[in-house]
């Protein structure tokens, strides 16, 4: 791992710059290096795997260890089937070390644009440094910047409110009344964590009812099904998922969680992956997690809900998602859609931006780590094939 001062100066022999030192970026860098292409990972924090270091303590992968490893290094068996957050961090550190990846930390890229000669890419980075690369792989992450809705009255709210990105463990909430806002995987798991950690009352505010699936049934991981159906028509998967849900997940309508009206795969393609059950079903059925209406606003110490009720929790945890925060970096290039996501992901570059690649900006049912591992190989193959001729070689 290098310091900012060690960054290679622009030259005729240009590297491929990989922006982001998480799983997607590290996998891409290794795949490029394995093909003799110099790849330099630029990471804005002081260590690789920064986003995984910030996650809450109880988090485990919802995908299996074997299908979550990155190219060229298996995850150790001692990590178990569902790998814990801290073990993911250890694995990413080992991955960068094992493959001798060229990672430069403490460098934030603020803007990417075409190089003046039109043959590569110019990156504006920390300290006014300008770096010229033959190609760029953007791997800054789907969950980049915590997002809290601009709720009416939020600025005057006198209660305790944090984003889920700042939640670590239930200890500070023991004996307290907590409202968790958002019923995605993060919100659902934090709600269960709070119950198990001794919160006096836990409510879960739900705007859109999620699809809930068992993480594993009789040893068959939900991810396996995701792999099998990933290329089937969306409508077909939606139809197949309905009877499976009725068989495996009890009807929670009486507890405020009716079965969703829209199909499971339809929702997944829109970015809303199913909630994998790690205790939510039991907590809701027992009344330990109370499902309430969506948050509409705040007034002094009260939280206003969509059904007209008002609640006064001791603390609010907003599991309200993240933005990709790509607009400043790439918005001028016309490579983002209306949601701020790249128009392409993986080995295809935008038509108007050849040599610019994105990885890790989809949420597939087959598992994000599995797919970024495959995309890494595809991106490296494309860069090598398409003749990024000015990329400097490595001894092989």
């Amino acid at each position: 791992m290098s310091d900012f001062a060690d960054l290679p100066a622009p030259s005729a022999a240009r590297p491929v710059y990989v922006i982001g030192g998480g799983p997607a970026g590290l996998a891409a860098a290794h795949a490029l290096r394995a093909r003799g292409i110099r790849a330099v990972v630029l990471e804005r924090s002081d260590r690789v795997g920064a986003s995984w270091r910030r996650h809450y303590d109880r988090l485990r992968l919802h995908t299996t260890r074997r299908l979550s490893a990155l190219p060229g290094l298996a995850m150790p068996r001692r990590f178990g089937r569902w790998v814990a957050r801290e073990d993911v961090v250890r694995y990413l550190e080992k991955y960068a070390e094992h493959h001798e990846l060229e990672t430069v930390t403490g460098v934030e890229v603020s803007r990417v644009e075409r190089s003046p000669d039109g043959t590569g890419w110019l990156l504006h980075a920390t300290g006014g440094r300008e770096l010229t690369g033959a190609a760029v792989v953007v791997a800054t992450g789907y969950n980049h910047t915590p997002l809290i809705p601009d709720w009416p009255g939020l600025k005057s709210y006198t209660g305790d409110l944090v984003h889920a990105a700042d939640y670590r463990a239930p200890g500070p909430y023991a004996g307290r009344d907590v409202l968790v806002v958002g019923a995605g995987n993060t919100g659902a798991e934090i709600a269960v964590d709070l119950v198990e950690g001794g919160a006096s009352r836990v409510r879960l505010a739900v705007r859109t009812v999620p699809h809930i699936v068992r993480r594993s049934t009789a040893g068959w991981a939900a991810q396996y099904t995701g792999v099998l159906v990933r290329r089937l028509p969306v409508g077909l998967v939606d139809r197949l998922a309905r009877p499976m849900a009725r068989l495996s997940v009890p009807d929670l309508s009486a507890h405020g969680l009716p079965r969703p009206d829209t199909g499971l795969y339809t929702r997944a393609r829109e970015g809303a992956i199913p909630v994998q059950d790690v205790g939510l079903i039991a907590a809701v059925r027992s009344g330990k997690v109370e499902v309430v209406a969506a948050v509409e606003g705040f007034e002094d110490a009260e939280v206003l809900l969509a059904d007209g009720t008002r609640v006064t929790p001791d603390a609010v945890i907003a599991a309200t998602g993240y933005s990709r925060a790509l607009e400043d970096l790439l918005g001028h290039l016309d490579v983002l859609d209306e949601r701020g996501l790249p128009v392409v992901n993986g080995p295809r570059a935008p038509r108007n931006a050849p040599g610019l690649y994105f990885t890790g900006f989809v949420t597939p049912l087959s598992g994000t780590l599995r797919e970024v591992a495959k995309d890494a190989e595809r991106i490296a193959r494309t860069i090598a094939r398409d003749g990024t001729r000015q990329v400097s070689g490595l001894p092989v």
Side-chain angles (χ1 to χ4, degrees):
M1 188 176 295
S2 306
D3 294 324
F4 176 68
D6 298 324
L7 276 171
S11 67
R14 298 169 175 172
V16 173
Y17 283 108
V18 180
I19 307 176
L26 297 178
H30 164 61
L32 287 162
R33 194 177 191 283
R35 289 180 174 271
I37 298 172
R38 185 182 181 196
V40 179
V41 178
L42 304 177
E43 168 55 46
R44 66 174 180 167
S45 73
D46 61 349
R47 293 175 291 180
V48 300
S51 63
W52 277 93
R53 298 176 193 277
R54 295 193 299 266
H55 287 315
Y56 48 93
D57 292 345
R58 76 168 281 152
L59 178 64
R60 289 180 175 271
L61 287 177
H62 292 165
T63 53
T64 66
R65 172 178 51 82
R66 288 188 176 182
L67 294 187
S68 299
L70 303 179
L73 186 66
M75 288 187 172
R77 290 177 59 88
R78 68 177 183 277
F79 285 0
R81 193 181 195 197
W82 312 107
V83 182
R85 178 198 63 84
E86 62 268 25
D87 286 331
V88 174
V89 171
R90 293 188 186 100
Y91 174 73
L92 296 178
E93 291 174 337
K94 182 64 176 179
Y95 191 84
E97 176 188 349
H98 176 79
H99 291 304
E100 299 179 338
L101 301 182
E102 192 172 350
T103 60
V104 186
T105 58
V107 176
E108 183 168 11
V109 179
S110 58
R111 184 178 173 90
V112 176
E113 58 189 31
R114 270 292 180 193
S115 61
D117 63 7
T119 63
W121 292 94
L122 179 65
L123 286 67
H124 298 270
T126 303
R129 187 70 177 260
E130 293 185 346
L131 309 168
T132 304
V136 173
V137 180
V138 181
T140 50
Y142 193 87
N143 295 334
H144 186 274
T145 301
L147 180 64
I148 295 181
D150 187 19
W151 285 304
L154 179 60
K155 291 182 180 178
S156 61
Y157 180 58
T158 59
D160 179 4
L161 184 147
V162 299
H163 190 274
D166 296 315
Y167 175 88
R168 292 292 176 273
Y173 300 93
R176 304 179 72 191
D177 180 338
V178 187
L179 173 67
V180 180
V181 185
N185 275 292
T186 297
E189 192 155 350
I190 287 176
V192 172
D193 200 31
L194 290 165
V195 167
E196 295 177 355
S200 64
R201 185 176 190 180
V202 179
R203 283 174 282 207
L204 181 63
V206 178
R207 182 173 299 277
T208 304
V209 178
H211 285 273
I212 302 174
V213 299
R214 302 286 188 182
R215 186 169 64 177
S216 179
T217 303
W220 179 267
Q223 182 187 13
Y224 298 162
T225 302
V227 171
L228 292 175
V229 306
R230 70 192 188 284
R231 300 196 186 284
L232 294 179
V234 173
L236 175 60
V237 178
D238 284 348
R239 290 193 294 274
L240 292 173
R242 292 189 190 104
M244 293 300 298
R246 293 191 183 96
L247 288 171
S248 61
V249 177
D251 186 358
L252 300 174
S253 299
H255 304 280
L257 284 179
R259 298 192 188 279
D261 294 329
T262 52
L264 183 149
Y265 204 12
T266 296
R267 291 272 292 277
R269 292 290 291 268
E270 295 170 352
I273 60 174
V275 169
Q276 293 206 9
D277 178 44
V278 291
L280 180 67
I281 292 173
V284 169
R285 294 182 78 182
S286 67
K288 294 178 180 178
V289 170
E290 305 169 42
V291 178
V292 298
V295 170
E296 289 294 307
F298 294 80
E299 188 174 303
D300 298 326
E302 292 185 319
V303 183
L304 315 180
L305 303 181
D307 61 0
T309 60
R310 295 168 177 253
V311 296
T312 312
D314 297 322
V316 177
I317 299 173
T320 45
Y322 297 78
S323 71
R324 270 38 75 187
L326 292 171
E327 288 78 9
D328 290 343
L329 185 69
L330 300 160
H332 55 287
L333 295 175
D334 192 28
V335 295
L336 306 177
D337 65 17
E338 65 281 357
R339 298 175 296 167
L341 288 167
V343 294
V344 294
N345 186 84
R348 288 193 302 129
R351 290 185 178 180
N352 60 329
L356 180 65
Y357 302 91
F358 299 88
T359 178
F361 291 96
V362 295
T363 54
L365 293 177
S366 51
T368 298
L369 292 181
R370 178 183 184 274
E371 296 307 321
V372 300
K374 292 183 173 298
D375 278 344
E377 304 282 4
R378 296 169 183 143
I379 290 170
R381 184 165 58 246
T382 299
I383 290 176
R385 182 196 67 209
D386 288 355
T388 315
R389 306 302 183 195
Q390 63 270 53
V391 177
S392 58
L394 292 170
V396 293

